[in-house]
Amino acid sequence: MRSSSVPELVPVLSPGKHRNPRKGACFMEFASYLAGEKWSDQPACTHPLLAGLARLVNDNVTDDTRVTMVELVPRVVGLNSPDPRLHAAICIRAATIALPLSPRAHQRALAVGLLACERYLEETETTLPEEFTPLIGEAFAQAPSAEQWARGFRRGLTTHPKHFARRAAPRIVLNSVDGVVRSVSTDSDVVLRRMLAEAIGDCERLISAGTSREASPARAS
């Protein structure tokens, strides 16, 4: 069962890895602590890509912002599923937030990544909820030259689902966080915290919907 609250005596969130709770904890080490798993920044309780995003955000915000992220930690405990849509959802959420804010080189990389997300969904024959439909178009509208460059770059390329999940998706998430950090026109702490919170919310809704569909036949019998 997923933890619903943070206990009173907890490790202090700080950047990087920590040997044990007495030394502090990054976001995902804290999640392993709440889940009762072996101390790790890669616990089984959380989807690996979401955990990767959480580690990156944890390490790239200030101490003041990191303190406010404690309330998000219990939400990732138990937030894991083999649903192939999760990789695309996390990438699309992160990249569409980062694309308009990022330096030009990052914009091109993120635009390529978003096109790869679209191709991944086609290859896996899956679709995301309607709320995702306008996100890529809205991001491209704010960086049209990056979209044009990316479409030329990706022309004729395919996206193998396993390659996307293992290699492309983590790179998209990394470029998203790095692009926001390198932005000179925004408060990166605010944007990164929002990026993580919205990605968590997306995963919660997708996993909840998937569980509901799986349970329907049993209720009907």
Side-chain angles (χ1 to χ4, degrees), residues 9-203:
L9 298 177
V10 296
V12 176
L13 284 188
S14 54
K17 287 187 176 183
H18 306 79
R19 294 183 62 183
N20 56 60
R22 292 187 297 276
K23 301 292 185 179
C26 76
F27 189 98
M28 289 312 305
E29 288 169 337
F30 198 167
S32 75
Y33 176 86
L34 295 182
E37 293 189 34
K38 180 180 178 180
W39 183 258
S40 170
D41 65 351
Q42 300 182 52
C45 63
T46 306
H47 189 276
L49 188 62
L50 182 62
L53 174 60
R55 289 191 297 271
L56 287 167
V57 171
N58 176 86
D59 290 350
N60 283 281
V61 296
T62 61
D63 291 341
D64 289 343
T65 296
R66 196 178 295 109
V67 168
T68 72
M69 290 166 50
V70 172
E71 65 187 35
L72 299 176
V73 179
R75 292 174 58 185
V76 305
V77 177
L79 200 59
N80 201 353
S81 167
D83 187 336
R85 298 177 302 166
L86 291 177
H87 286 94
I90 296 166
C91 286
I92 290 172
R93 180 63 67 183
T96 54
I97 288 174
L99 178 60
L101 307 172
S102 300
R104 183 177 180 182
H106 281 73
Q107 285 187 335
R108 288 184 170 185
L110 290 169
V112 170
L114 287 171
L115 294 179
C117 288
E118 292 183 329
R119 186 61 178 169
Y120 169 77
L121 290 170
E122 293 174 4
E123 291 291 337
T124 56
E125 298 182 342
T126 55
T127 57
L128 291 172
E130 291 184 359
E131 66 193 79
F132 284 88
T133 302
L135 294 182
I136 295 179
E138 290 172 356
F140 280 160
Q142 298 179 70
S145 61
E147 178 191 7
Q148 182 179 13
W149 184 90
R151 292 194 182 280
F153 179 83
R154 277 199 57 86
R155 187 173 294 115
L157 297 180
T158 59
T159 300
H160 192 282
K162 287 185 178 180
H163 177 272
F164 180 85
R166 294 175 182 174
R167 300 179 62 182
R171 176 59 61 179
I172 293 169
V173 167
L174 175 61
N175 285 336
S176 297
V177 172
D178 195 42
V180 172
V181 170
R182 294 175 183 275
S183 172
V184 296
S185 61
T186 188
D187 184 336
S188 62
D189 273 29
V190 171
V191 176
L192 291 177
R193 191 189 189 285
R194 177 169 69 90
M195 182 186 291
L196 177 58
E198 292 189 9
I200 291 172
D202 293 334
C203 290

